[in-house]
Amino acid sequence: RLANGSTTCSGRVELLHGGTWGTLCDYLWDLPAATALCQQLDCGVALLIPSEQSFGKGNGSVWNGTFSCKKNGSRLRDCPVSVLGHDECPAGKDARVACSGEQQKGCPGARLVNGTTCSGRVEIRHGDTWARLCHSHWNLQAASVLCHQLDCGYAKSIQTGDRFVDGNGPVWRDAFHCEGTESCLWDCAQVTLGNPTCSAREAATVICSGNPGPAESLRLSGGESRCDGRVEISLHGKWSRVLDDDWDIKDAHVVCRQLQCGIAEKAYYLPRPERGVGLVGLRSVQCAGNETQLMLCKTFHSQTVPTGVAEDVGVICSGELLCFLGSRQIRLVNGTKRCAGRVELYHDGIWGTICDDNWDLSDANVVCKQLGCGHAIKAFASAHYGKGSGQIWLDDVNCTGAESDLWACPSRAWGQHNCQHKEDAGVLCS
């Protein structure tokens, strides 16, 4: 059986032997063995072998052994386990698995309350008890994983004041350490801290972007940042592999643009040990290089691909062009090159755009200078680089061109405007 997972299709592998359930300690546990087990449990295929913290320690009983299930169609009870003994299990050798059936069944055990479908106070369930989390142990990466898990896009803000918090109630001591690309909160490293340092009124909250947009239907996994790694696409709510036998820089440019990760620096095939297993979303992609989304390229869908016909693909993007000045952040989005795009500012925990009223070369010059992009060649109006979403932070910006950053320029108050996103401002820098 699979124990202590968020669903029946993930968990620590336990073995019933001599009337006692114990953790399977398997020195040879790998993805093929895990997939064989998933298939026998009607849980699809093995997506990954999670970190050793994922499913806890068990009750102390351990069975050392090797699981093998070679014959197709055999029943689980016919899969031999050569039991070697009843000893301690070295760290990392206990068998764990997350099967694809988990994603088809969703990720229960987390919810948003006191707000809307995609915003509110965060609560998680242990056993039959729902309780809040501490705001001080909550960050944007964990919040983004929760938003994706709830089919609510990505996390726009976790700074919501008292908006969703009321009354009293239990507070869990859990802290989630997420990369931001996990499918479920339970896939993140989870730490249970000492006594909660916050009251029920200091609970974790989140405002999600809403239904996933194009940037949330694609991700790069296994890299050093969100802007490099193996390409994965979300189709019908399931993360799937992208395979190709003619992957090039033009295809990679489209991935980087869709993810708002700048331009592609490298398109590559995954080395054999790092290739994925499980569902295949796209089989063969042919892009011209100027498309805004991978699905606008010539693509072929496939759920199953014969082994060896095509390979998992990856990209390394230049990264989103960001300037940090303390809490002041500015970026260019959706451009065709590094120093061009829609201007977005980070304020009050949320990214937002600038309205094009009075937007001119003097304003654009300040942005280009602030980003280390030389001087402005053109100041674009009318959402030249596409419409943004969410907040419009500034309107009637009126820089002289000599200011060191956009925050020093006169404008209306933050968030005060008479605009729509079809008026989002952009720049092209030298």
Side-chain angles (χ1 to χ4, degrees):
R1 69 181 180 189
L2 298 180
N4 218 33
S6 55
T7 73
T8 53
C9 287
S10 69
R12 188 180 61 252
V13 182
E14 291 192 344
L15 175 68
L16 180 64
H17 184 66
T20 303
W21 283 103
T23 298
L24 176 62
C25 186
D26 190 340
Y27 285 67
L28 302 176
W29 187 250
D30 58 10
L31 274 171
T35 288
L37 179 60
C38 291
Q39 288 169 341
Q40 293 297 333
L41 294 172
D42 291 326
C43 280
V45 295
L47 292 176
L48 76 161
I49 295 174
S51 65
E52 56 189 288
Q53 300 95 347
S54 299
F55 306 123
K57 282 280 184 215
N59 62 5
S61 294
V62 172
W63 292 113
N64 282 281
T66 304
F67 174 89
S68 60
C69 200
K70 302 283 188 256
K71 281 193 214 155
N72 287 341
S74 59
R75 293 168 302 171
L76 186 59
R77 71 172 83 175
D78 299 328
C79 300
V81 179
S82 49
V83 175
L84 307 174
H86 191 46
D87 309 305
E88 287 293 305
C89 192
K93 297 301 180 189
D94 55 316
R96 305 169 302 279
V97 66
C99 307
S100 60
E102 171 173 12
Q103 289 187 330
Q104 290 154 19
K105 293 174 184 172
C107 301
R111 67 185 183 186
L112 298 177
V113 300
N114 221 27
T116 67
T117 312
C118 290
S119 67
R121 184 177 72 236
V122 179
E123 291 192 353
I124 65 169
R125 186 182 68 212
H126 284 310
D128 294 326
T129 307
W130 288 94
R132 328 171 178 215
L133 295 177
C134 263
H135 177 74
S136 56
H137 306 153
W138 186 242
N139 59 28
L140 267 175
Q141 286 88 344
S144 273
V145 173
L146 177 62
C147 290
H148 177 77
Q149 163 177 342
L150 297 173
D151 204 22
C152 282
Y154 61 96
K156 291 179 73 171
S157 178
I158 56 173
Q159 310 288 343
T160 62
D162 294 333
R163 219 160 129 187
F164 309 117
V165 180
D166 61 358
N168 294 311
V171 180
W172 292 127
R173 298 174 297 171
D174 300 72
F176 293 93
H177 299 292
C178 305
E179 301 286 322
T181 55
E182 295 88 348
S183 298
C184 258
L185 266 184
W186 316 113
D187 296 334
C188 304
Q190 194 176 348
V191 179
T192 303
L193 303 163
N195 290 330
T197 53
C198 65
S199 70
R201 295 195 68 80
E202 299 171 297
T205 58
V206 65
I207 298 173
C208 304
S209 62
N211 291 332
E216 290 74 61
S217 62
L218 203 64
R219 71 180 182 186
L220 302 176
S221 70
E224 293 179 8
S225 75
R226 76 172 194 88
C227 290
D228 69 283
R230 185 175 71 233
V231 182
E232 296 180 353
I233 191 164
S234 180
L235 297 173
H236 316 298
K238 303 185 195 77
W239 286 108
S240 312
R241 301 155 66 200
V242 175
L243 306 188
D244 198 8
D245 47 18
D246 189 22
W247 184 248
D248 61 24
I249 199 75
K250 290 185 290 190
D251 306 322
H253 274 315
V254 176
V255 170
C256 296
R257 184 177 302 120
Q258 181 171 342
L259 289 170
Q260 300 183 0
C261 279
I263 57 174
E265 294 181 345
K266 185 179 180 183
Y268 65 96
Y269 293 107
L270 271 290
R272 190 169 290 277
E274 295 172 34
R275 290 181 197 165
V277 295
L279 291 173
V280 174
L282 293 180
R283 162 68 178 86
S284 181
V285 179
Q286 294 171 12
C287 301
N290 57 0
E291 296 89 347
T292 54
Q293 295 178 38
L294 200 62
M295 293 299 284
L296 298 177
C297 303
K298 189 176 178 184
T299 58
F300 298 90
H301 296 252
S302 172
Q303 293 305 312
T304 53
V305 170
T307 310
V309 172
E311 301 178 58
D312 290 270
V313 298
V315 304
I316 298 174
C317 306
S318 62
E320 58 188 354
L321 185 58
L322 276 172
C323 174
F324 294 87
L325 284 168
S327 61
R328 301 174 179 182
Q329 299 176 40
I330 185 169
R331 69 183 181 186
L332 300 181
V333 172
N334 220 30
T336 49
K337 57 184 187 178
R338 182 177 166 272
C339 288
R342 182 174 67 246
V343 183
E344 295 194 352
L345 307 171
Y346 190 71
H347 179 71
D348 205 16
I350 298 175
W351 285 101
T353 62
I354 298 176
C355 181
D356 63 11
D357 293 345
N358 297 324
W359 184 252
D360 59 20
L361 271 176
S362 300
D363 308 316
N365 252 326
V366 174
V367 172
C368 294
K369 189 166 50 175
Q370 187 174 344
L371 287 166
C373 280
H375 62 270
I377 295 173
K378 189 147 189 191
F380 285 106
S382 306
H384 178 81
Y385 291 108
K387 296 180 189 178
S389 62
Q391 290 284 354
I392 298 174
W393 276 131
L394 290 181
D395 189 14
D396 292 327
V397 177
N398 189 17
C399 306
T400 64
E403 294 88 351
S404 59
D405 66 74
L406 208 59
W407 277 255
C409 299
S411 69
R412 288 199 194 195
W414 284 89
Q416 290 189 12
H417 63 85
N418 55 359
C419 305
Q420 297 175 301
H421 280 295
K422 64 183 181 183
E423 302 167 80
D424 285 342
V427 298
L428 172 63
C429 309
S430 63

